[in-house]
Amino acid sequence: MTLREVLGVREVADDYDGFVLDLWGVVHDGVTPYPGVLDCMAALLAAGKRIALLSNAPRRADDVVRRITAIGVPRGLYHAVMSSGEEAWQYLKRRDDPFHARLGRSCLHICSERDLEIREGLDLAYVETPAAADFILNTGPAGWDDTLDDYAPLLAAARERGLRMVCANPDLMVMHGAKMALCAGALAQHYEAIGGAVRWHGKPYPSVYESCLDLLGIADRGRILAIGDSLRTDIAGANGAGIDSLLVAGGIHAGEFLVDGRLDLGRIETAAEAEHVRPSAVAARFNW
């Protein structure tokens, strides 16, 4: 596999009408937008492109909008937002599929205080122990420095009772400023490893792409480019959805894929082959 390296989105912009952007690791680092990102989004809009944000954030879409606005991403730079938390909320609200219909109403919510808004409108009773729960809603660890070991006893007790888990963020790790932090996906992955049943919401799973592409409003998938920093979620999800993808190497994989600020295409190719995915192109950063 020979990867195409691009120095900026301007090199591929004419090939697409719509862009699906990951947030954390592409647009911002959890604290502030990356340099050049806002100018790049503005340039895409000026060229008549449509932009949808697709995030593995364990919160509702409106909450995502408020949070990215607060850290400096203006509302006028994109057309639509879909998140893993929004999809999880919609499924929990409708309960029109076999998995969610069987969950019950007593919920053990693994979360931080940042995630509590997802509870609104779901008519659930929130409990503190696996013994009192009908199911688990997993939106991620309570603290940025939490480890998997902090949750292993709780997850073991939940598995003993056969509780099902709804995972509202498939990411394993995320960059928070300059540090890596554990995400809901790592807890869900461990729960599956010990025999627990998990329904995953978000990238790379197909249903969230259907929701996002409906918002984008472009019928021809050949005219859509997904831009993300994770091989496991962004690139795998785009491959599964049948759309092209641009891997931003300076996000979650920066320590592996960038050497002195430059792309190491050999490492990227090896990692992509190991994940059985293929990005259409690679860039160090999301810029124009």
Side-chain angles (χ1 to χ4, degrees), residues 48-93:
K49 311 302 181 181
R50 287 190 58 81
I51 297 175
L53 308 181
L54 177 57
S55 174
N56 276 355
R59 48 191 61 93
R60 305 275 325 262
D62 286 348
D63 193 8
V64 171
V65 169
R66 288 194 297 273
R67 291 170 187 272
I68 64 174
T69 301
I71 65 172
V73 182
R75 292 173 184 251
L77 289 183
Y78 51 88
H79 297 95
V81 178
M82 176 53 63
S83 67
S84 55
E86 178 68 28
E87 188 193 45
W89 187 93
Q90 291 179 4
Y91 274 77
L92 285 168
K93 182 68 172 178

Side-chain angles (χ1 to χ4, degrees), residues 49-285:
K49 311 302 181 181
R50 287 190 58 81
I51 297 175
L53 308 181
L54 177 57
S55 174
N56 276 355
R59 48 191 61 93
R60 305 275 325 262
D62 286 348
D63 193 8
V64 171
V65 169
R66 288 194 297 273
R67 291 170 187 272
I68 64 174
T69 301
I71 65 172
V73 182
R75 292 173 184 251
L77 289 183
Y78 51 88
H79 297 95
V81 178
M82 176 53 63
S83 67
S84 55
E86 178 68 28
E87 188 193 45
W89 187 93
Q90 291 179 4
Y91 274 77
L92 285 168
K93 182 68 172 178
R94 293 196 307 263
R95 292 178 175 253
D96 57 0
D97 66 288
F99 187 96
H100 294 85
R102 294 175 53 191
L103 291 179
R105 293 288 171 181
S106 295
C107 174
L108 174 60
H109 188 187
I110 300 176
C111 66
S112 74
E113 292 185 357
R114 301 181 302 277
D115 304 334
L116 295 180
E117 189 171 323
I118 199 173
R119 297 181 178 187
E120 295 178 9
L122 290 179
D123 190 28
L124 300 175
Y126 294 93
V127 299
E128 299 297 325
T129 66
D134 295 325
F135 74 99
I136 301 168
L137 172 59
N138 171 19
T139 55
W144 293 116
D145 296 322
D146 288 1
T147 68
L148 188 57
D149 289 343
D150 295 327
Y151 295 87
L154 181 146
L155 295 174
R159 171 64 187 93
E160 185 68 21
R161 291 203 60 238
L163 299 184
R164 294 183 170 208
M165 175 186 286
V166 174
C167 179
N169 176 6
D171 286 350
L172 305 179
M173 303 290 292
V174 70
M175 293 183 69
H176 183 243
K179 294 179 61 177
M180 298 297 292
L182 198 69
C183 286
L187 304 182
Q189 188 179 67
H190 174 81
Y191 197 56
E192 279 193 331
I194 62 174
V198 177
R199 171 55 161 96
W200 298 80
H201 290 282
K203 299 175 287 186
Y205 301 95
S207 58
V208 80
Y209 281 88
E210 297 304 321
S211 299
C212 183
L213 296 183
D214 285 346
L215 293 173
L216 195 58
I218 296 172
D220 183 358
R221 296 197 179 197
R223 298 292 298 176
I224 299 171
L225 179 69
I227 302 178
D229 69 318
S230 169
L231 290 171
R232 174 182 168 269
T233 56
D234 299 305
I235 306 306
N239 288 175
I243 58 178
D244 288 351
S245 60
L246 172 65
L247 174 68
V248 173
I252 194 170
H253 293 296
E256 307 167 65
F257 296 164
L258 293 181
V259 178
D260 296 326
R262 303 190 64 173
L263 295 175
D264 188 323
L265 292 178
R267 289 186 182 183
I268 297 171
E269 288 179 0
T270 299
E273 289 173 357
E275 290 280 351
H276 305 291
V277 300
R278 181 183 177 88
S280 307
V282 184
R285 303 285 181 188

